[in-house]
Amino acid sequence: MNHKPLKTYFFVISIFLFIASLTQDCYCLDGYTECMESIGALLWGWIGVLYEIGFIVEMLQGTITTENYQFCTHLSWLANPFLIIAFVTFNFYPKVTILLSSVSTLFMLSFLLVKSVIVDEAGHYREIKTYQAGYYLWLASSLIILIGSLYSTITYKYKERKNDL
């Protein structure tokens, strides 16, 4: 039985889910009538990561306090580079893809622990009211590429054993 088409389906479905997630809202905030668009979160989320890094550096230097700061609210954005690299390595290095997509999935799941996010340059936070389809499609994309890379690795090992006999 040829497992290549099934492996391709995992890849295509994962890419499709990622692209579909970008067309949807990802979360809604308390007090806002509109929800955050996933494409905006992808394009501008890296700024939040820089904000987090800058705050941690300033905190370590002792120049600011942590009284109004909520740690790691934007680090889940780092799932994006891990997921994109997983897409690139999928056909060539399935074991690497397992690691990358696992890290990506963990970063994505960590967003469920986030209670509020920064909404402006002044550092004001708003509570997350609901998670929307964009978030769940994004998560599904990472899970599908993880399952596909596990499937690819397992079927390759099975084929090697079968050829050794």
Side-chain angles (χ1 to χ4, degrees), residues 118-132:
I118 293 175
V119 294
D120 59 26
E121 300 84 14
H124 296 114
Y125 288 85
R126 286 285 184 168
E127 187 175 332
I128 296 173
K129 187 170 52 175
T130 59
Y131 296 95
Q132 299 295 307

Side-chain angles (χ1 to χ4, degrees), residues 134-152:
Y135 170 76
Y136 295 110
L137 290 169
W138 183 53
L139 178 60
S141 173
S142 188
L143 288 170
I144 295 295
I145 200 80
L146 174 59
I147 293 166
S149 56
L150 287 167
Y151 170 81
S152 179

Side-chain angles (χ1 to χ4, degrees), residues 90-106:
F90 181 76
N91 283 319
F92 308 106
Y93 306 104
K95 290 180 182 177
V96 172
T97 306
I98 291 170
L99 175 65
L100 293 168
S101 57
S102 295
V103 171
S104 174
T105 300
L106 290 174

Side-chain angles (χ1 to χ4, degrees), residues 17-84:
L17 289 171
F18 181 74
I19 292 169
S21 77
L22 298 176
T23 67
Q24 304 296 310
D25 291 337
C26 51
Y27 58 86
C28 297
L29 299 174
D30 190 35
Y32 281 73
T33 55
E34 294 182 20
C35 296
M36 180 64 168
E37 296 175 352
S38 296
I39 189 74
L42 175 68
L43 295 175
W44 300 108
W46 62 272
I47 294 172
V49 174
L50 292 179
Y51 181 79
E52 297 261 355
I53 293 169
F55 182 84
I56 291 168
V57 168
E58 288 181 3
M59 186 186 68
L60 292 173
Q61 292 173 344
T63 57
I64 58 175
T65 62
T66 61
E67 60 192 51
N68 290 331
Y69 183 73
Q70 298 178 22
F71 286 103
C72 302
T73 59
H74 298 283
L75 293 183
S76 59
W77 182 88
L78 292 172
N80 292 308
F82 283 101
L83 182 59
I84 291 168

